[in-house]
Amino acid sequence: MKVLSANGIYGNWATLLLPLNNDDSINYAQLEQEIDTLIAYKVDGIYSNGTAGEFYNQTEEEFDKVNTLLAAKCNAAGMPFQVGCSHMSPEISRERLKRAKALQPSAIQIILPDWFIPTMPEIIDYLKVMAEVAAPIGLVLYNPPHSKKKLQPKDFKEILDAGIPLVGCKVPGGDEQWYEEMKQLPVPFSVFIPGHHLATGVSRGAHGAYSNVACLNPLFAQQWYNSIKRGEPAAFELETRIQQFMNDCIVPYIRDKGYANQAVDKFMAAVGAWTPISTRLRWPYRWIPEEDVETIRQQCRQIIPEVFNVTK
């Protein structure tokens, strides 16, 4: 694939959810079907090994097999894709990055070292080394809400002022002041925010989402983003209902029942019924019982029926 600059990274990017068999092995047949579906839906891009890809819980052989499969299909279809080379170990992340370059991704995602919170000098040193290894492919820094080190606009400015050629980030977003500060960064920089804030985020300067809404239904998420870009007022009304569904039906699983973010991502995919993936996570993480799917699906039909009515 063509390497993307910051200006080329925008829109609705769908995550590759990891399909599992009952023995915790990867169901590669389902994975192929999932990739084919995302390509057919013409999402703006696909990325592997985000949280719902369970990057932290793959062997290196599995990492290579998952991403080789994704790369082969995306390169053949002309679909932009990013490989997540994240790992809690900076050494393993660097080795993943070295191997991923051969797959010709549009960009590469990484997280910060995770065992102990790094200082800014350590972050800059880490990103400098990783960028040198990745070149000429750009790096996207995956800095979600549960990161131990939550980067602020001033931190991104310090990183970019140090000459680190990051092309983008995934971040929780912020208030109007936060968006104004992010727009003042010294070089073109792709800012992706949570999917359920996409209409408001784009109106304030965000470029897209590595989208949790795409977990629910990637075609619905793509059509919603397209309406946002067309400036349709209905996109904001839809955002209100998407947030209502998240707050009423999904957030309680995290806030009250203690499930991990990847559990709700896979659960939403089961609710949206666009892929046969189960809600199962790899040990030791708990997954949301399949018995809950139909109840939440009915609530979703009432709040955002569009999820189940989209057509290509």
Side-chain angles (χ1 to χ4, degrees):
M1 275 302 300
K2 176 184 175 182
V3 173
L4 293 179
S5 65
N7 291 331
I9 302 174
Y10 58 85
N12 169 59
W13 283 63
T15 188
L16 200 59
L17 302 113
L18 192 70
L20 297 172
N21 298 311
N22 289 339
D23 63 357
D24 265 8
S25 62
I26 298 173
N27 187 324
Y28 288 102
Q30 277 193 8
L31 186 68
E32 287 197 58
Q33 182 181 351
E34 185 183 339
I35 297 167
D36 289 341
T37 299
L38 293 174
I39 291 172
Y41 284 170
K42 295 184 169 69
V43 295
D44 289 311
I46 304 171
Y47 68 103
S48 69
N49 286 20
T51 304
E54 300 186 68
F55 68 84
Y56 53 85
N57 218 354
Q58 290 180 28
T59 68
E60 297 312 285
E61 180 181 2
E62 289 170 336
F63 171 88
D64 290 342
K65 189 169 182 179
V66 166
N67 289 295
T68 298
L69 181 59
L70 175 66
K73 287 183 173 292
C74 288
N75 282 322
M79 169 61 67
F81 73 101
Q82 297 182 28
V83 172
C85 292
S86 301
H87 197 277
M88 294 72 66
S89 161
E91 286 292 345
I92 293 176
S93 187
R94 178 164 57 178
E95 291 305 310
R96 287 183 171 186
L97 196 160
K98 289 177 182 177
R99 302 197 305 277
K101 283 184 66 175
L103 303 176
Q104 299 180 299
S106 308
I108 289 174
Q109 294 182 1
I110 58 172
I111 61 171
L112 295 175
D114 192 63
W115 175 241
F116 198 85
I117 298 174
T119 64
M120 281 306 297
E122 290 166 339
I123 289 171
I124 288 172
D125 180 58
Y126 172 72
L127 294 175
K128 179 181 178 181
V129 170
M130 297 296 271
E132 288 172 351
V133 173
I137 300 168
L139 289 182
V140 171
L141 186 55
Y142 200 73
N143 193 235
H146 55 275
S147 301
K148 289 179 180 175
K149 174 68 174 180
K150 298 176 181 62
L151 298 175
Q152 301 302 317
K154 64 180 179 60
D155 299 317
F156 283 108
K157 183 177 187 304
E158 185 174 349
I159 290 167
L160 296 170
D161 281 342
I164 308 300
L166 285 184
V167 294
C169 64
K170 173 180 179 173
V171 286
D175 57 16
E176 290 188 42
Q177 179 63 32
W178 181 90
Y179 280 99
E180 285 302 315
E181 291 176 11
M182 290 297 281
K183 284 192 285 189
Q184 302 306 314
L185 293 177
V187 296
F189 193 64
S190 175
V191 177
F192 273 42
I193 44 96
H196 58 295
H197 294 294
L198 190 56
T200 299
V202 167
S203 73
R204 293 177 174 176
H207 302 89
Y210 300 115
S211 178
N212 55 353
V213 179
C215 292
L216 184 62
N217 185 310
L219 181 57
F220 163 73
Q222 186 62 48
Q223 292 182 0
W224 179 40
Y225 172 73
N226 292 344
S227 75
I228 293 169
K229 291 304 291 180
R230 290 193 297 266
E232 297 174 2
F236 289 90
E237 187 276 331
L238 184 52
E239 180 181 73
T240 299
R241 289 188 284 119
I242 291 169
Q243 291 179 1
Q244 179 189 345
F245 169 73
M246 293 292 186
N247 291 332
D248 292 353
C249 302
I250 300 302
V251 170
Y253 280 102
I254 299 172
R255 183 191 62 216
D256 304 332
K257 299 182 180 182
Y259 287 102
N261 286 10
Q262 60 269 36
V264 300
D265 284 346
K266 284 191 171 181
F267 180 66
M268 284 195 291
V271 168
W274 62 275
T275 174
I277 192 171
S278 75
T279 62
R280 187 181 188 93
L281 297 178
R282 274 188 159 171
W283 173 86
Y285 290 96
R286 297 181 305 139
W287 61 90
I288 300 172
E290 298 277 351
E291 303 84 71
D292 288 19
V293 169
E294 186 56 34
T295 298
I296 301 301
R297 183 179 293 152
Q298 291 307 316
Q299 293 180 40
C300 186
R301 286 187 187 278
Q302 292 175 2
I303 300 170
I304 35 176
E306 295 94 334
V307 168
F308 305 96
N309 298 331
V310 289
T311 56
K312 288 193 291 182

